[in-house]
Amino acid sequence: HAKHVEGGGVCVFSAALETAVRADRAIEVALQGSTLEDELTIVFQPIIELASGRLSAVEVLVRWTSPVLGEVSAADFIAVAERSTAIHSITRAVIRKGLKAAQHLPDDVAVSFNISACDLTSATTLAFIRREIERTGIDPGRIWLEVTETAVMANAETAAQALQAFRDIGVHVALDDFGTGYSSLGYVQRLPLDKVKIDRSFVAGLDGTDGDTIARAVITFCHTIGLSCVAEGVETPSQWRMLQEAGCKHAQGYLFSKPLTLDALLALCTEWERQRPWGARQRQRGAA
Ligand code: C2E
Ligand code: MG
Ligand code: MG
Ligand code: MG
């Protein structure tokens, strides 16, 4: 159905849109009634250092099983939570659980958290993170905070200041999903960042002919301005090899491991200590 609105514009309501709006509303209601601290869990996706194959970090990813809606995907409920203060409760719960889990991991494994645009500019979130770091005694250098390119672009000036405020407490900041937000390279160069996470869509393109050139150029650009790269969504051995050749520092993806529970992650740590499946030896064999 099309409906004329004031000012002469036409507003189109499709069935799909209506369904999406209703689903979002259901998520909103379920979030309000939930005891988030109990219903949220976290999983960890290994991030490897490509040169050595060692586990260098884990990305903390939130999971929500609502008693009303069942399992809701992170992308879906985070987007809804960002429209209210629910996002702050989610961020705090995830950070609290993540830092607790970090105490069980080797000291040289970094822990990477996703934070939303509204967390980035919140003095309360910054203070909370600083306090939790002090309370748990974790080395702040072990903590990476990922903020999406789109979140940062929403307000460039404020974002730059906020990123610096986080770096001032000793944590590392990474630009997440780089390549999806259409920000200019000059703009990225001016941001106070430590790392860039290259979006899965670029990595997927590595198997094609042109994609290879683009991904290499992006990696070279990041290195030129002094940022280290993390490739996301690595799914095939050929993507893995091309990233190594391009000098990309870190990578994550289903090829290495899916997101894991803490117990499964600890088992993987032990296994990778005994035999490093993504190490140099394997690389030579793979390249032959
Ligand atoms: P993201 O930060 O870019 O996280 C990567 C997403 O890609 C994760 O989805 C992960 O499971 C998935 N992934 C990892 N490797 C592969 C691969 O090889 N192939 C494919 N196809 N996918 C892969 P997930 O866990 O569903 O999270 C989706 C998004 O939700 C995240 O994207 C992030 O933006 C957001 N998110 C997750 N946890 C949190 C959180 O605690 N706080 C905030 N603010 N956002 C979060
Ligand atoms: Mg992320
Ligand atoms: Mg990402
Ligand atoms: Mg993403």
Side-chain angles (χ1 to χ4, degrees):
H1 314 277
K3 192 172 134 187
H4 288 276
V5 293
E6 241 176 277
V10 174
C11 202
V12 179
F13 296 96
S14 71
L17 181 64
E18 203 175 302
T19 308
V21 168
R22 214 177 287 139
D24 279 5
R25 180 72 191 133
I27 291 172
E28 199 180 319
V29 171
L31 277 175
Q32 281 163 6
S34 72
T35 43
L36 286 175
E37 193 81 34
D38 299 332
E39 291 169 25
L40 295 179
T41 55
I42 53 171
V43 287
F44 307 83
Q45 188 175 34
I47 297 176
I48 67 156
E49 180 181 64
L50 283 166
S52 62
R54 81 172 181 92
L55 179 70
S56 53
V58 289
E59 178 173 4
V60 177
L61 295 159
V62 70
R63 294 290 178 261
W64 180 36
T65 308
S66 154
V68 188
L69 302 172
E71 262 181 56
V72 186
S73 90
D76 287 350
F77 78 83
I78 292 289
V80 173
E82 281 173 342
R83 291 185 226 140
S84 73
T85 53
I87 189 64
H88 297 298
S89 315
I90 294 172
T91 303
R92 281 195 292 272
V94 168
I95 287 178
R96 225 179 271 126
K97 288 171 197 275
L99 290 181
K100 194 171 163 198
Q103 296 173 335
H104 300 278
L105 297 172
D107 283 346
D108 61 352
V109 175
V111 183
S112 199
F113 294 96
N114 293 284
I115 61 165
S116 295
C118 41
D119 292 315
L120 183 67
T121 51
S122 155
T124 320
T125 302
L126 176 68
F128 172 81
I129 294 175
R130 195 204 294 123
R131 226 174 26 248
E132 286 301 300
I133 288 172
E134 280 167 13
R135 196 179 58 81
T136 53
I138 192 170
D139 169 9
R142 265 182 80 188
I143 299 179
W144 301 356
L145 296 179
E146 304 183 7
V147 47
T148 62
E149 188 185 6
T150 8
V152 168
M153 276 194 329
N155 191 335
E157 205 47 51
T158 318
Q161 280 175 22
L163 289 169
Q164 191 52 50
F166 276 100
R167 287 176 101 196
D168 289 343
I169 65 169
V171 304
H172 292 214
V173 293
L175 191 64
D176 202 358
D177 298 348
F178 180 62
T180 55
Y182 309 102
S183 57
S184 81
L185 297 183
Y187 169 60
V188 172
Q189 182 176 13
R190 285 193 299 273
L191 288 172
L193 294 166
D194 300 289
K195 292 177 170 58
V196 166
K197 295 192 79 172
I198 300 174
D199 192 65
R200 179 151 66 81
S201 54
F202 276 119
V203 175
L206 274 172
D207 288 333
T209 35
D210 295 342
D212 185 20
T213 320
I214 296 169
R216 274 173 202 275
V218 171
I219 293 165
T220 307
F221 164 75
C222 291
H223 290 166
T224 308
I225 63 170
L227 300 174
S228 86
C229 294
V230 185
E232 305 188 301
V234 180
E235 292 181 352
T236 68
S238 80
Q239 291 166 353
W240 170 53
R241 271 195 299 276
M242 281 190 229
L243 288 163
Q244 282 178 316
E245 281 163 26
C248 184
K249 187 108 192 277
H250 307 276
Q252 70 186 103
Y254 295 162
L255 175 68
F256 312 113
S257 172
K258 293 204 162 173
L260 304 168
T261 61
L262 180 61
D263 284 343
L265 175 67
L266 293 174
L268 177 135
C269 282
T270 313
E271 196 187 307
W272 284 12
E273 252 162 52
R274 262 193 289 117
Q275 190 217 11
R276 204 170 276 179
W278 307 105
R281 219 151 42 90
Q282 172 85 19
R283 178 170 76 229
Q284 275 154 17
R285 239 189 283 136

